[in-house]
Amino acid sequence: MLFGFIGLGQMGKPMALNLARKFDVIAFDKRHVTLPEDPPNKLKLAAGIADLAECDCVFLSLPSAEILRKVLFAEEGLATCLKEGALIVDTSTVEYNATLEVSSKLSKLGLRFVDAPVSGMQSRAENGTLTAMCGGDAADIAELESTLISMASKILHMGPTGSGQLTKLINQLLFDINMAALAEILPISAKLGLNSKKIGEVINSGTGRSYASEFFIPNILRNDFSKGYPMQEAYKDLISGAELSAHQVLPTPLLAAATATYQRALHEGHGEKDKGAMILVFEELLGCRFRCQDGGNND
């Protein structure tokens, strides 16, 4: 079985490398991609999308629904060159309605589709321990399991097409709310003169901890806002949350508050930083910094 992989970014590249340790993979990215010094022998880089025409299954890891549509349905897009019955697996994070639209178009072209967004950030993509949330036909997902296991340690079939994206959205919105809460509360501890490093230790060993606190607090203490996904690219999750709330008439007051913090951080020019940079909004407001290197109680 021949696999394709399109999108060799922060998540896609390590996923493709892990896949190629077990299977033959033809990978493509329109940007120049630097591979490790000893890439798997089964991995070949393509010059264009047309080089993936003979693939039985193609994985996608793309930054937006707009780019997903272009890759699939442009004049020389993937959907125009794959053989009938080929399987397309979208590991990107895109809007639910866009996923349904893409699935419908591919079905009319005789192609199969599974939405399988992943969670775990770059470190887990590198060690192959992502969580994959799959939506689609049960038979297609069962067929994929032996392949996905090279990239994900947890593979869950969440329901029909789009269910994977809905599940990922729920997870991401909780992550965003957690970080917005940290951004608001942590500077208060610094303002009151508490030791930032020790506050971080208390939170991450106590009942206030979350994945967001465990990931972001150590980085914030080091003044490092480069380890996570850039806020300007991750903002699409909050747009999707607002759309879901509006269309389904779902009250989401905490999400709305978190979104306001996120939006202010973007307006203040922090879009290229990761979500931990939301703390900069409240640090400026309170005139303090939650860092290890600060003087006084934060030494």
Side-chain angles (χ1 to χ4, degrees):
M1 194 169 184
L2 180 60
F3 292 91
F5 205 108
I6 299 178
L8 302 176
Q10 187 179 69
M11 297 293 285
K13 182 165 74 171
M15 291 169 67
L17 289 170
N18 283 330
L19 180 64
R21 290 188 174 96
K22 293 184 178 180
F23 305 96
D24 292 319
V25 178
I26 302 175
F28 173 72
D29 195 301
K30 68 177 183 179
R31 303 162 299 181
H32 174 71
V33 176
T34 302
L35 295 178
E37 291 183 2
D38 56 341
N41 293 331
K42 293 178 177 290
L43 179 66
K44 295 181 180 179
L45 290 181
I49 288 177
D51 292 345
L52 282 68
E54 296 304 314
C55 291
D56 303 288
C57 175
V58 179
F59 288 87
L60 307 175
S61 180
L62 303 168
S64 69
E66 179 183 1
I67 294 175
L68 173 66
R69 292 186 184 100
K70 288 181 180 178
V71 166
L72 291 174
F73 304 118
E75 186 175 344
E76 297 181 356
L78 184 67
T80 66
C81 66
L82 284 178
K83 56 192 174 186
E84 186 174 355
L87 177 59
I88 296 173
V89 184
D90 184 24
T91 69
S92 320
T93 300
V94 300
E95 296 86 349
Y96 173 69
N97 288 333
T99 295
L100 297 184
E101 171 200 324
V102 164
S103 177
S104 176
K105 286 185 176 180
L106 291 174
S107 179
K108 292 174 182 176
L109 294 171
L111 298 169
R112 297 178 291 155
F113 178 79
V114 167
D115 59 294
V118 294
S119 181
M121 305 187 78
Q122 185 176 355
S123 61
R124 286 176 58 193
E126 290 170 349
N127 60 31
T129 59
L130 294 166
T131 295
M133 299 149 274
C134 303
D137 183 82
D140 290 338
I141 293 166
E143 179 183 327
L144 274 175
E145 192 163 354
S146 62
T147 308
L148 282 171
I149 200 68
S150 66
M151 298 176 276
S153 57
K154 186 178 289 292
I155 302 162
L156 301 170
H157 183 194
M158 302 307 301
T161 302
S163 298
Q165 293 295 350
L166 285 177
T167 303
K168 176 68 182 289
L169 178 60
I170 295 297
N171 183 69
Q172 290 303 105
L173 295 180
L174 285 169
F175 188 38
D176 292 334
I177 289 170
N178 269 269
M179 187 55 239
L182 290 166
E184 179 179 328
I185 301 302
L186 292 178
I188 292 175
S189 70
K191 184 72 173 180
L192 297 176
L194 295 173
N195 182 292
S196 295
K197 182 177 180 181
K198 291 179 181 178
I199 286 290
E201 291 175 359
V202 169
I203 291 169
N204 281 337
S205 63
T207 55
R209 75 183 182 278
S210 64
Y211 181 84
S213 73
E214 291 173 345
F215 181 80
F216 284 115
I217 287 179
N219 296 329
I220 291 169
L221 288 169
R222 293 191 296 268
N223 202 41
D224 187 349
F225 302 102
S226 66
K227 294 295 190 292
Y229 206 58
M231 277 196 286
Q232 61 194 11
E233 297 179 30
Y235 183 59
K236 62 187 178 184
D237 296 328
L238 292 168
I239 295 173
S240 294
E243 289 177 347
L244 187 66
S245 173
H247 293 157
Q248 300 294 327
V249 196
L250 302 171
T252 53
L254 287 178
L255 177 59
T259 300
T261 295
Y262 205 119
Q263 290 169 333
R264 181 162 175 179
L266 291 176
H267 276 293
E268 292 181 3
H270 302 307
E272 294 184 358
K273 302 181 181 74
D274 65 31
K275 295 176 185 179
M278 280 192 272
I279 197 172
L280 299 174
V281 170
F282 290 96
E283 288 182 338
E284 181 179 358
L285 181 65
L286 298 182
C288 64
R289 278 163 48 98
F290 183 86
R291 304 285 189 281
C292 281
Q293 63 265 40
D294 284 354
N297 288 337
N298 289 325
D299 283 337

